[in-house]
Amino acid sequence: ALVSTQSTGVYARASLLNLNTLKFCCDRSGENKEREKWNHINRTIQVEYKTLGSMRFTEIILTLIVLLLVFLWLFMLPDQFPGWAQKHAEIFGRRDSSGKLKIYLKDTWVAVMIVFLLFIVPSGNPLRGSCNPDKASRLERLERLLTQKTYMDKTPWDVLFILGGGYAIAAGCKDSGLSLWIGEQFSFLRNSHHVLIALVVASMMAVLTEFASNTASTTLLLPVLISLSRAIKVHPLYLMITGTISASLAFCLPSATGPNALVFAFKELRVMDMIKTGVVMNFVSVLVTVMATSTWIYAGLGLSEYPCWADSTDNVTCPI
């Protein structure tokens, strides 16, 4: 990732340099003007930072809630010691039919409870003015940190439908057998070198992620990659790691990812400018990804042999 970021970043800067920038590199007066501009920007940032003042009650409460969310996620089921979710299951005796402890509190439960907490906690200090009889009803007039209007107006429903639709399509492809059929169509790669297979997977994922989000791309193609690994007898993790990294190679189109859309919104770049630069960046990133997954990742994780657990349909007992 570091090599890919640095190499593509250098190319992006070089490809977007204009004549004014080249002139600046050779002109000392332009260097002084540039230094003055950055000094002015720094002074403006410092002034704006001072105007923020100290943390308000709302900011303090939100910070505590975020820390609570992180704490609950980190210590839910840690590997080193029993987490609070396991303790909860032990206290309430949640077990399945085989007698195994059943942990039903997941990450989703934590997120829902935190959002529910935002609808309860007031946005102002409820104790302020509580001793004043004229302000006895102040607590009732305080808005909550999150209101229904804010929730409905600010929630990116289009993104939720895109992600939900991607999960639904992925589940449909798996249940209908489409992912298995697509994987079998690449059976001609069975006797090919693993580098060529990784190159095909990375290129396919890099093209798809230009038209869909990273999450949607991986949700759609990872089941296909699992079926493909079974068809050509290649370690599933080798294809899935290659595909997952390649899902982040979205450089060509504004719709590929959020940062692209944000840059394009300033109207300083055309779509064709992004495509010209992004194609080369995608090409370089795909080569770097394939080189990484086919060398030290391939050797370090022991992905040279096809594991017995990959054939979930076969009654195979893997050696311990």
Side-chain angles (χ1 to χ4, degrees):
L2 181 61
V3 175
S4 178
T5 302
Q6 294 298 326
S7 57
T8 54
V10 170
Y11 172 76
R13 295 187 186 96
S15 62
L16 296 177
L17 284 175
N18 50 30
L19 294 178
N20 293 331
T21 307
L22 294 177
K23 182 179 178 181
F24 157 74
C25 295
C26 303
D27 189 2
R28 297 294 297 180
S29 61
E31 182 179 355
N32 295 331
K33 293 180 180 179
E34 188 72 13
R35 186 181 296 110
E36 293 178 359
K37 183 181 71 173
W38 282 108
N39 291 335
H40 175 70
I41 293 175
N42 291 332
R43 289 193 299 268
T44 304
I45 293 176
Q46 292 176 4
V47 171
E48 294 295 331
Y49 177 76
K50 291 180 180 179
T51 57
L52 291 176
S54 58
M55 292 185 66
R56 294 171 293 181
F57 176 82
T58 304
E59 296 169 344
I60 296 175
I61 294 300
L62 286 176
T63 302
L64 295 177
I65 291 177
V66 171
L67 293 177
L68 176 63
L69 174 64
V70 174
F71 175 82
L72 293 177
W73 273 343
L74 288 179
F75 296 98
M76 174 177 286
L77 290 172
D79 296 332
Q80 292 77 12
F81 52 87
W84 61 266
Q86 181 176 347
K87 291 295 184 181
H88 179 273
E90 292 175 355
I91 293 174
F92 289 92
R94 302 289 298 183
R95 299 184 181 274
D96 55 16
S97 57
S98 61
K100 185 179 180 180
L101 190 65
K102 182 179 180 181
I103 301 175
Y104 62 94
L105 295 181
K106 305 296 182 181
D107 295 341
T108 307
W109 181 90
V110 176
V112 171
M113 289 298 102
I114 292 297
V115 173
F116 182 73
L117 187 62
L118 294 177
F119 281 102
I120 299 177
V121 178
S123 59
N125 188 355
L127 301 179
R128 180 184 299 176
S130 58
C131 298
N132 191 344
D134 297 334
K135 299 181 179 181
S137 61
R138 181 178 179 84
L139 180 59
E140 300 178 358
R141 297 197 301 267
L142 287 176
E143 287 190 356
R144 304 308 183 221
L145 289 176
L146 183 62
T147 61
Q148 183 179 3
K149 185 178 184 304
T150 304
Y151 171 75
M152 296 299 295
D153 294 342
K154 301 297 183 179
T155 300
W157 297 104
D158 52 347
V159 177
L160 292 180
F161 281 116
I162 290 175
L163 295 179
Y167 290 126
I169 293 174
C173 292
K174 180 180 179 181
D175 295 339
S176 64
L178 178 60
S179 59
L180 179 61
W181 179 84
I182 296 176
E184 292 176 349
Q185 304 310 306
F186 290 89
S187 58
F188 63 91
L189 297 173
R190 181 188 298 270
N191 298 324
S192 302
H193 197 273
H194 66 274
V195 177
L196 176 61
I197 300 174
L199 184 61
V200 172
V201 171
S203 302
M204 183 170 56
M205 184 67 81
V207 172
L208 179 61
T209 194
E210 295 295 343
F211 303 96
S213 64
N214 301 0
T215 306
S217 301
T218 53
T219 304
L220 286 172
L221 277 189
L222 286 186
V224 176
L225 296 181
I226 295 175
S227 301
L228 174 61
S229 66
R230 294 171 181 168
I232 62 179
K233 300 302 179 182
V234 175
H235 202 296
L237 292 181
Y238 176 59
L239 301 184
M240 296 176 71
I241 292 175
T242 304
T244 302
I245 297 176
S246 301
S248 299
L249 308 181
F251 305 120
C252 292
L253 297 177
S255 59
T257 186
N260 290 16
L262 181 63
V263 172
F264 184 74
F266 285 96
K267 306 298 182 183
E268 297 291 338
L269 294 176
R270 300 175 302 170
V271 176
M272 188 55 63
D273 296 331
M274 298 183 68
I275 293 177
K276 290 180 181 179
T277 307
V279 167
V280 179
M281 295 174 65
N282 271 7
F283 179 76
V284 174
S285 299
V286 166
L287 293 182
V288 172
T289 301
V290 172
M291 180 179 63
T293 56
S294 301
T295 53
W296 62 272
I297 295 179
Y298 188 81
L301 298 182
L303 306 180
S304 58
E305 296 183 0
Y306 183 74
C308 61
W309 52 260
D311 291 321
S312 59
T313 56
D314 299 335
N315 296 325
V316 179
T317 302
C318 297
I320 301 177

